[in-house]
Amino acid sequence: MNIKKDLGEIILLIDKNYFLIAHDKTENLWRVYKNDKSTRTESFILKAFVNAFAFFELIKMKRYEHANNIWKLFKKYEPLIDELNSINKVEYKNIQELIYKKRDKEKK
């Protein structure tokens, strides 16, 4: 399964801080991937991103404790980005990099 176009759109959304829209779009992809036996394991990468985008929305709402709990879910699945061999790996790495870039800005 190739979702490069959707991941490209998600990258643009994150870059513009449209985390809620990125969350919803990624969650839709996650649902498709989790229900397909051949992409089930890869779906956990998408699940990680869904949680990362929720983290940013919770930070905006000043719900820091809940945001930190959601961040832990992102971290749980994040290693799969490097572990899995996927045609979407470049996009996943770009999203991962943007997530950390945005998180570093939040800390300042």
Side-chain angles (χ1 to χ4, degrees):
M1 208 176 285
N2 185 337
I3 57 172
K4 289 189 182 297
K5 181 180 179 229
D6 292 314
L7 293 173
E9 290 173 13
I10 290 166
I11 289 167
L12 292 174
L13 291 168
I14 300 164
D15 193 47
K16 295 180 180 181
N17 296 327
Y18 296 143
F19 297 109
L20 187 57
I21 300 168
H23 172 279
D24 293 345
K25 189 168 193 62
T26 308
E27 190 171 54
N28 290 336
L29 293 173
W30 168 72
R31 284 192 178 109
V32 171
Y33 264 49
K34 79 178 178 90
N35 291 323
D36 184 326
K37 189 176 179 180
S38 68
T39 57
R40 173 87 171 124
T41 305
E42 192 168 341
S43 77
F44 291 108
I45 295 171
L46 297 170
K47 185 175 186 174
F49 293 151
V50 166
N51 286 304
F53 305 148
F55 164 84
F56 290 110
E57 287 300 315
L58 289 165
I59 292 295
K60 281 184 194 176
M61 294 186 285
K62 300 184 188 312
R63 296 181 59 196
Y64 302 112
E65 185 177 341
H66 194 56
N68 289 329
N69 291 335
I70 293 290
W71 184 256
K72 290 175 190 171
L73 291 172
F74 166 72
K75 296 297 290 177
K76 177 181 177 179
Y77 297 110
E78 182 187 23
L80 290 173
I81 296 168
D82 290 323
E83 293 169 10
L84 288 180
N85 186 16
S86 168
I87 61 172
N88 304 311
K89 191 170 201 142
V90 170
E91 289 79 10
Y92 292 154
K93 294 297 283 181
N94 288 339
I95 292 171
Q96 180 185 35
E97 183 181 308
L98 263 174
I99 287 168
Y100 279 101
K101 199 176 188 181
K102 297 293 181 172
R103 186 168 186 255
D104 288 346
K105 284 184 182 178
E106 288 292 332
K107 287 182 174 182
K108 292 179 181 176

